[in-house]
Amino acid sequence: MIRLNNVKKVYPTRFGDRMVLDGISFELSKGERLGILGRNGAGKSTMVRLISGAERPTSGTVERHMSVSWPLAFGGAFQAFLTGRDNVRFISRIYGQDFERNLEFVEQFSELGQYLEEPVRTYSSGMRARLAFAVSMIIEFDCFLIDEISAVGDARFHDRCNFELFEKRSDRAMVIISHDPGHIRDHCSRWAILNNGRFTEFDDFDVAYGAYKEIMGVADRSLVAADSSFLDSVRNRSHLLEYSYRKAGIDDRFRALVDEAEFARSRAEWTRAHDDWKAAERSYAAALAIYPFERSYWLVLGHAIKEQGNLIGAEICYRTAVAFGQPAQDVAVHLEFVIEQQGLDPRDYPLRRFSRASLPEQVPGKPDIELLSYIFWGTALVADDECFRFLREKSSIDHVAQAMVLDDRYLSQYARAIGAADEEVAQVSVESDHSDQRLDYILAIFFTGLNGPARESLCPKLGRPSDILREILERDLLHDWVLTKSAITSAGYESTRQ
Amino acid sequence: MALPVNENPSLLDSLRVQRRVLGALFMREALTRYGRHNIGFLWLFVEPMIFTLGVTALWTATNSIHGSGLPIVAFAITGYSSVLLWRNMPGRCIGSLLHNLSLLYHRNIKILDIFLARIMLEFGGATISFFVLSLVFISLGLLDPPEDILEVAGGWLIIAWIGSALAIWLGAMSHENELVDKIWHPFSYLLFPLSGAAFMVDALPKAAQSVILYIPIVHGVEIVREGYFGTKARAHFDLSYVLPFCLVITFLALFEVRKVAAKVVPG
């Protein structure tokens, strides 16, 4: 049995003491498996080190009445200048075990062959992980501590690790930490959440996971709330980009989607399979739907789309990446390639770079096209063909808006805005997914300088795209959009104003 | 079969674990430093032997004045060997924790063990080197056998004690303060000529003698020389000064180890 009694851990930092674990108590008996969920930096690894005895609590006690392993698959205890074999010998000596028998097991399990005679510093990370896992299995502990079993190594090795650990040693106690809730669900019998130094236990995974998601969600919302003053004051693209960057970096949903996408991409780069690129595209697109200004992902999304043979789609992504400030030299080669593949001369269709101009003078990206289309045409769905022509031909957001106003679709949207036409039906239903996000951006871009209450009272009036257009026209919010303004005037808005 | 847990280990059990851990760390340290290439383990004492031989040759060639009638070879061997003994131990222990923090995941390894293994290695190397060189020069007839081997051993152990306590103290302190590393190098350099390696206390003016005898290492070196040369050396030392001194640094060292162990975060 392992027992933690009111364990506290405080780390001194330059900004004062930081309480990582604040009075944690629990017991773990033989055969029980405890899974711990928590955000990054919640103190999970600290807890594992305290249980292992490698680190001491600031106060409270850790009792161990069974043998406890070091954190598993952890390869740091290897002396890099020694051979794999000498490292096995060292561990055997420390634990008073039969070296020859252990070496035999490690040879057979790690499949490192004669590399065992080479210094560990010459190993690849995969080989190191194989040796680390094999060495972890030679000492038969009563309780295993598992801190993020990494996915290093191929699938077969992974299966063998799982078999060795969870099947052959199913009678042992375990403490498992993972950022992957599925892993914890499958291998544990008890669950706990570590949050703000507090430890909460659950007997049921679904309850635990529900609480975990709530913690993540609540935390995210509180961050957004704290930051909304910033969004209120976004006046130009630079602010918007910075805001998006800060927010995306701490949003676990975004990070999860990006991880998923990177995984699919690395596989696709290996297999070159259409389906894998498709999977990468889907995940990147989903991530960008939440944070459309994360420019570097437009670049990789472009690659994923290009690999599937969609040159126009790729061009849209590349142009968007540059419009949002991705360095042009990262993108130029790819864009030129895509344009050449279309049978055109890249010199006729130059790249437009991001500049720190006011919003109407900014180079448009795909999300801008969609946003403007939503306002001026009543739908955020813009066909690739149309979108890419805007991006190629229009040098500023003002140009795009002007072209949209001069299109017939604007007239029907305008009619809806002034109540002279039937309400739009079809368009709205398509728009459910990220409408909150979109409204935030619209408020940030057009309705700047609103204080909290004014904003609150405005939001309900902006339910439909035509409402937004009406508010924009009535408040004359496009006064510095020179081209758009003149187009609106010539389209006859002034005459209906009286 | 699972690893047995001994809830109430006897002192003997604990000593057994301690011996196992120190043995394993010692071998790991030795293998890491000397490897299995060319002469391997032999470097343990060949390295200090080369040092001592070099210094002996230099001193002989320049016919250094050391203020006594003792043969220069004997003087150099006893002097420089003792320098290696007290100077290398702290040198090996300072900063050693940082690269070995991950060892703490093996619960039986404590930070004191990491220091002890290194100290054992240094002690072994310096002692074997001293022993072998003495043997060689004695058999060549360049050196007379020591008059009192036990006294030589006693002096040698006192120097080793000072070196070890200093090594543990500085090693533990260096984990939290990198200044220790910076200061030890110049300090040990300055201490070398003052440590009695290159002179006999008796040859100094009276006033200087009382000052130089505040340095504890000098006492150890004097004892070694008295053991070697007997009354010819006219040694000056005071056990009632040097032994309490050793106890005090040992206490400080263990206190520092305890402090660091409570705070250390394994990497």
Side-chain angles (χ1 to χ4, degrees), chain A residues 18 49 60 76 89 102 118 138 145 199 281 289 347 387 398 415:
Chain A
R18 196 167 77 87
R49 286 200 298 268
R89 194 196 299 269
N102 284 343
E118 300 290 326
I138 58 183
L145 305 177
F199 186 81
E281 178 194 343
R347 275 167 299 181
C387 182
D398 196 14

Side-chain angles (χ1 to χ4, degrees), chain A residues 342-413:
Chain A
Q342 294 172 49
L344 301 168
D345 186 345
R347 275 167 299 181
D348 297 340
Y349 303 96
L351 205 53
R352 294 197 180 82
R353 286 156 205 258
F354 170 78
S355 64
R356 291 185 186 279
S358 69
L359 185 76
E361 285 151 27
Q362 290 275 319
V363 179
K366 186 180 179 189
D368 300 313
I369 308 282
E370 288 174 342
L371 204 65
L372 293 173
S373 164
Y374 182 74
I375 296 168
F376 292 115
W377 290 351
T379 174
L381 291 178
V382 187
D384 271 6
D385 278 350
E386 194 151 31
C387 182
F388 115 95
R389 236 174 297 119
F390 278 131
L391 293 183
R392 244 190 208 178
E393 291 159 12
K394 307 298 176 194
S395 59
S396 74
I397 290 178
D398 196 14
H399 273 101
V400 175
Q402 178 200 31
M404 284 185 174
V405 169
L406 295 176
D407 189 279
D408 280 349
R409 278 168 285 184
Y410 170 73
L411 290 179
S412 30
Q413 171 74 348

Side-chain angles (χ1 to χ4, degrees), chain A residues 47-60:
Chain A
M47 192 150 114
V48 160
R49 286 200 298 268
L50 290 175
I51 299 174
S52 81
E55 199 176 332
R56 297 196 201 153
T58 309
S59 71

Side-chain angles (χ1 to χ4, degrees), chain B residues 21-67:
Chain B
V21 166
L22 282 180
L25 283 172
F26 180 85
M27 292 305 288
R28 175 182 190 265
E29 208 42 56
L31 266 179
T32 307
R33 265 179 62 194
Y34 306 113
R36 297 185 189 284
H37 309 292
N38 50 66
I39 62 168
F41 268 120
L42 291 180
W43 280 118
L44 177 64
F45 57 91
V46 169
E47 198 183 344
M49 262 167 64
I50 295 173
F51 261 114
T52 316
L53 280 175
V55 170
T56 308
L58 271 179
W59 287 3
T60 312
T62 55
N63 217 349
S64 290
I65 302 153
H66 47 87

Side-chain angles (χ1 to χ4, degrees), chain A residues 8 44 102-103 110 126 138 140 151 254 267-268 271 283 285 325 332 338 351 362 387 398 439 456 469 475:
Chain A
K8 293 188 183 179
K44 294 174 299 205
N102 284 343
L103 185 66
S110 69
I138 58 183
E140 294 291 354
F254 181 76
R267 198 168 59 191
T271 62
S283 303
V338 168
L351 205 53
Q362 290 275 319
C387 182
D398 196 14
L439 190 58
E456 298 273 300
L469 178 61
R475 291 163 183 247

Side-chain angles (χ1 to χ4, degrees), chain A residues 54-255:
Chain A
E55 199 176 332
R56 297 196 201 153
T58 309
S59 71
T61 55
V62 180
E63 294 171 37
R64 291 177 214 89
H65 303 287
M66 53 186 177
S67 59
V68 181
S69 78
W70 60 83
L72 221 64
F74 145 86
F78 291 139
Q79 166 59 261
F81 286 90
L82 294 187
T83 62
R85 187 189 154 95
D86 282 335
N87 272 295
V88 174
R89 194 196 299 269
F90 171 68
I91 304 274
S92 305
R93 278 200 185 114
I94 288 280
Y95 291 91
Q97 299 232 328
D98 179 12
F99 165 64
E100 294 300 332
R101 205 197 48 154
N102 284 343
L103 185 66
E104 201 177 310
F105 173 81
V106 170
E107 273 172 348
Q108 168 260 319
F109 190 82
S110 69
E111 297 181 344
L112 284 169
Q114 59 207 34
Y115 280 105
L116 279 174
E117 308 297 330
E118 300 290 326
V120 170
R121 73 192 145 99
T122 63
Y123 289 18
S124 70
S125 60
M127 288 159 69
R128 224 176 256 235
R130 262 146 66 187
L131 179 64
F133 194 88
V135 167
S136 304
M137 290 294 110
I138 58 183
I139 319 287
E140 294 291 354
F141 295 104
D142 294 320
C143 174
F144 285 95
L145 305 177
I146 303 162
D147 187 352
E148 293 289 5
I149 266 209
S150 58
V152 192
D154 56 8
R156 193 176 70 93
F157 182 71
H158 223 221
D159 283 349
R160 284 169 54 214
C161 290
N162 279 342
F163 175 74
E164 201 57 46
L165 192 58
F166 297 118
E167 309 280 325
K168 275 169 81 173
R169 289 168 182 76
S170 57
D171 57 329
R172 310 299 165 75
M174 292 182 191
V175 176
I176 305 180
I177 286 179
S178 175
H179 67 280
D180 176 7
H183 185 78
I184 282 183
R185 178 194 57 213
D186 297 343
H187 294 298
C188 296
S189 53
R190 279 165 61 187
W191 297 270
I193 293 176
L194 200 55
N195 190 43
N196 291 333
R198 297 276 174 189
F199 186 81
T200 322
E201 278 221 60
F202 298 86
D203 291 328
D204 183 84
F205 176 78
D206 291 330
V207 181
Y209 189 47
Y212 173 63
K213 279 199 295 197
E214 199 167 302
I215 287 169
M216 309 272 277
V218 168
D220 284 343
R221 239 170 282 150
S222 67
L223 273 170
V224 174
D227 250 6
S228 65
S229 59
F230 190 87
L231 192 50
D232 282 345
S233 69
V234 169
R235 283 181 210 287
N236 63 38
R237 187 47 73 66
S238 313
H239 285 156
L240 206 56
L241 287 167
E242 191 183 326
Y243 167 75
S244 159
Y245 179 72
R246 283 183 2 185
K247 219 171 117 202
I250 49 171
D251 190 328
D252 290 314
R253 286 174 307 164
F254 181 76
R255 293 221 317 249

